Amino acid sequence: MVAVRNARLARLYANGTVWMFAKRNRNYGMTQSTIRLAVNGRIHDVDAAPDTALLYVLRNDLELNGPKYGCGLGECGSCTVLIDGVAARSCVIPIQGCAGRDIVTLEGLGSRAHPDPVQDAFIKEQAAQCGYCLNGMIMTTKALLMRNPHPTEAEILQALRYNLCRCGAHVEIARAAMRAAGLLVKPQDLEAQGLEAQNLGGQNLGAQG
Ligand code: FES
Ligand code: FES
C-alpha cells in the first residue's frame, strides 16, 4: 500500500503536479478561507489559505499576469502592484491583509488602446530589453506620481532605486519615468528655442519640459 502511494507521489512530482500545488498552497496545514478582494475595480471571492501570497492569487486565480514572479523575496520589485495607491510587493503580501483594500495591477492602469500616461511614456521611450522588470518599474513610477505629481529627477531615481533590471536598461527606464513626470525636453520645445532636436541628450534628462 505504501509502495503504491509512493509510486503515485513520484509520478505527481515528475509531472510537476505537486510542485504546482506547493506553489499555490505554501502552507498545507492552513485551512482555506474565502477572502474578498477588490482588484482593478472588480470584486473577487477567492478560496485560498489566508497566508497565500497575493501574487499567486493574482496570477493563478485571477489570471492577471502583469505582476511578475522574480525573486519571491520582496527584493526585485517585478511583482509590484498598487494597494490603496501605494506600491507593494505582492510576492510577500498575504491575501488576508488585502481584504477591503483597493488593489490595482498593471492591467488596471490602462489598455493597449488607451494606455496610462506612465505606460505611454515607457512605450515612447522604448524602455525595455526583455521587459520582465517593467511591471515593477511602471507601477512604482505610477505610485510616485500619485503621491507627488511633480517629482524631481532625484526623487524619481530614489523611488526606483530598489527595482532591479537584470538587462541593465536603467537609463532608458529612468528616461521613461522622467517623461511620465513631464521632465523631458520635448523636440518642439527645442525647436522653439532654435535648438537642434539631436541635442536632446543625457544632460537634458532633468530639464523641465
Ligand atoms: S518577485 Fe516580488 S519583489 Fe521580487
Ligand atoms: S528589461 Fe529585462 S529585466 Fe529589465
Side-chain angles (χ1 to χ4, degrees), residues 76-145:
C76 73
S78 65
C79 63
T80 302
V81 299
L82 303 181
I83 300 181
D84 291 342
V86 176
R89 302 197 166 190
S90 62
C91 68
V92 289
I93 296 187
I95 55 170
Q96 63 190 342
C98 298
R101 306 290 186 91
D102 180 31
I103 300 164
V104 177
T105 69
L106 187 69
E107 292 87 345
L109 283 195
S111 64
R112 190 179 288 263
H114 301 288
D116 179 88
V118 177
Q119 293 170 310
D120 191 52
F122 275 73
I123 293 168
K124 288 202 165 82
E125 290 298 328
Q126 293 287 287
Q129 288 191 39
C130 79
Y132 204 81
C133 67
L134 284 196
N135 170 74
M137 299 295 186
I138 290 171
M139 300 308 280
T140 304
T141 302
K142 183 68 183 177
L144 169 66
L145 295 180

Side-chain angles (χ1 to χ4, degrees), residues 8-153:
R8 181 171 151 71
L9 262 179
R11 274 201 308 280
L12 291 173
Y13 273 115
N15 69 18
T17 303
V18 169
W19 169 239
M20 289 304 296
F21 182 79
K23 281 176 71 178
R24 276 181 63 111
N25 303 283
R26 292 197 297 177
N27 186 342
Y28 294 106
M30 186 165 277
T31 311
Q32 296 220 342
S33 307
T34 300
I35 296 177
R36 178 160 289 192
L37 299 177
V39 183
N40 299 336
R42 296 181 60 184
I43 300 297
H44 302 271
D45 289 322
V46 175
D47 293 324
D51 70 339
T52 305
L54 175 62
L55 178 64
Y56 299 139
V57 170
L58 293 174
R59 291 182 58 86
N60 298 340
D61 295 84
L62 306 186
E63 299 182 351
L64 295 168
N65 295 318
K68 300 287 185 287
Y69 183 96
C71 63
L73 298 169
E75 294 181 354
C76 73
S78 65
C79 63
T80 302
V81 299
L82 303 181
I83 300 181
D84 291 342
V86 176
R89 302 197 166 190
S90 62
C91 68
V92 289
I93 296 187
I95 55 170
Q96 63 190 342
C98 298
R101 306 290 186 91
D102 180 31
I103 300 164
V104 177
T105 69
L106 187 69
E107 292 87 345
L109 283 195
S111 64
R112 190 179 288 263
H114 301 288
D116 179 88
V118 177
Q119 293 170 310
D120 191 52
F122 275 73
I123 293 168
K124 288 202 165 82
E125 290 298 328
Q126 293 287 287
Q129 288 191 39
C130 79
Y132 204 81
C133 67
L134 284 196
N135 170 74
M137 299 295 186
I138 290 171
M139 300 308 280
T140 304
T141 302
K142 183 68 183 177
L144 169 66
L145 295 180
M146 286 170 70
R147 70 173 185 274
N148 176 7
H150 305 292
T152 63
E153 178 177 348

